[in-house]
Amino acid sequence: MSHSAPRRVRVRAPELTGKGGWLNTGGKQYTLADLRGRIVILDFWTFCCINCLHVLDELRALEEKHRDTVVVIGVHSPKFVHEAEHAAVVDAVERYGVEHPVLDDPELATWKQYAVRAWPTLVVIDPEGYVVAQHAGEGHVHAIERLVAELEAEHEAKGTLRRGDGPYVAPEPEPTALRFPGKAVVLPNGNFLVSDTTRHQLVELAADGETVVRRIGSGARGFGDGTAEAAAFNEPQGLAVLDDGSVIVADTVNHALRRVDLGSGDVATLAGTGRQWWQGSPASGPAREVDLSSPWDVAWWQGRVWIAMAGVHQLWTYDPADSTVTVAAGTTNEGLVDGPGAEAWFAQPSGLAATSERLWLADSETSALRWVDLDGTVHTAVGTGLFDFGHRDGAADQALFQHPLGVTALPDGSVAVSDTYNHALRRYDPATGEVTTLATDLREPSDAVLVGDDIVVVESARHRLTRLRLPEEAVRVEAVAHRTRRAATEVAPGTLRLDVVFQAPAGQKLDTRYGPSTRLLVSSTPPGLLLNGEGAGTELSRALELNPAVTEGVLHVSAMAASCDDDPSNEYPACHVHQQDWGVPVRLTAAGTDRLPLVLAGMDS
């Protein structure tokens, strides 16, 4: 049997256009013609999306290894209104350490030209300017790495490969004490400890909130325990102070929990392996042996450390008594569904605050404020789902936030919400069911802590802590409501054919020795979108029956296939699992398509 790579279908790549212009290029504007001779990888992303942030991290090693042949270009394609602001994109590029050119496309012009349907999407363009691959979702970098090697060999032989330095120009660093801080806590001595996210450090500030007392972490992106000077973090976020004189750190991009001894400053790893959790991995067990996924915040509640596991839309817990982790709530499906913890759906939980009776959480992608009660049941106070957001005060069932990242319990039983994309601090009062605005003109507030009668806000995009007096009455602002900018696939009501297309990598074949080697799991938000076709099965194609009464929603698709090396002489061939998850926004229209193809790319497990 021949295992030669199939001939690739080549489509001329559309031009790159975006009204926001180019970042990380020293001011130069680029066209595809300027990049001819290089392998170009377009990364369609938006900075609210945790899956997009995962892909940024996945791409780092590929960029470094193929720096003289590959040019990665981020095409920023906003979901939220705030993400269409050019200044916000500039901030995000620095905040997340993006070290390649970025095209700011606030009107989704290039997104539409490339028929992109979901965040994130990667498109590979060969040195002659033709599209040769397109992958939606995470986990495709191994497959793209193999494709890059093939393209390098092919175009080196043809004389069409141009090696050399890429167009990336690093911006000048700013001399601020903090750089895009994420979260903060008040220490027993009255000082503040702040996660200095972009500089991969923790910073202790004096009680004035400005004077630097010490830094913990080397400042270089990495994963290493040791002294305060030698230890390494990777975009740390959430912090929780424990009674034993330590602080727990959500080390987000390292997919780990770390412990800092406040006396010595020494850093140790409590949970996580440094690898990202994938479907099928253990979700409980010894903490140092279980993978985590972008822990964004932590809180001490009911004798355990609760973890906002933004990367898989769940809440986990860490039990220091036996050093184990386990899932406490959430199914990994992205959406807003209340009920028992095992049945609830979240969407990038990013902020936690504990009281004696409730664990409050900011559920960022649904722009929601939610809570867990003592029996583990999940409730929603404010928010309706993935598609509605804005800045509107009033009754909780009508109020709107925009991608909040932080929540703070107040002494009177109400909570303050760091309403990040509205640049505001909001307040929800459970006693009245009302939402009010405490302060505006805060640049991307991501957390806040109480100090006496004041509330100190982590003003992330102004790189500082800002102290405010809690007012007697909330300030009301003019109501603004939005629908999501998320580009939906238009589908026809009735029967929709879902086809997950899988081709085993060269030299492998589907493993059918013990029965079916494929699995397909389908669900929807809202659940009423699907009249028929949800659930698990072994076929990679399925007829879905869409409810014509539900005009829009999200189809959640998880597919798996197992393949083994195709070598008849090997009695024990190596086998590989290929898995991909998609969240596909859909809008039902009479002129929509009746088929939805999704590509499950073969890659090394």
Side-chain angles (χ1 to χ4, degrees), residues 507-540:
Q508 298 178 30
K509 66 177 182 179
L510 279 174
D511 178 17
T512 57
R513 293 172 297 168
Y514 308 107
S517 60
T518 54
R519 182 176 182 271
L520 179 65
L521 178 65
V522 180
S523 60
S524 67
T525 305
L529 174 63
L530 279 177
L531 294 176
N532 194 26
E534 67 178 349
T538 58
E539 297 292 328
L540 290 183

Side-chain angles (χ1 to χ4, degrees), residues 333-344:
N333 287 323
E334 182 182 13
L336 194 153
V337 177
D338 289 340
E343 301 172 13

Side-chain angles (χ1 to χ4, degrees), residues 466-489:
T466 299
R467 186 182 295 261
L468 304 171
R469 176 56 55 103
L470 283 171
E472 293 295 325
E473 295 182 1
V475 178
R476 293 189 178 272
V477 300
E478 181 181 353
V480 180
H482 301 294
R483 294 291 285 174
T484 182
R485 299 178 62 88
R486 192 170 187 166
T489 298

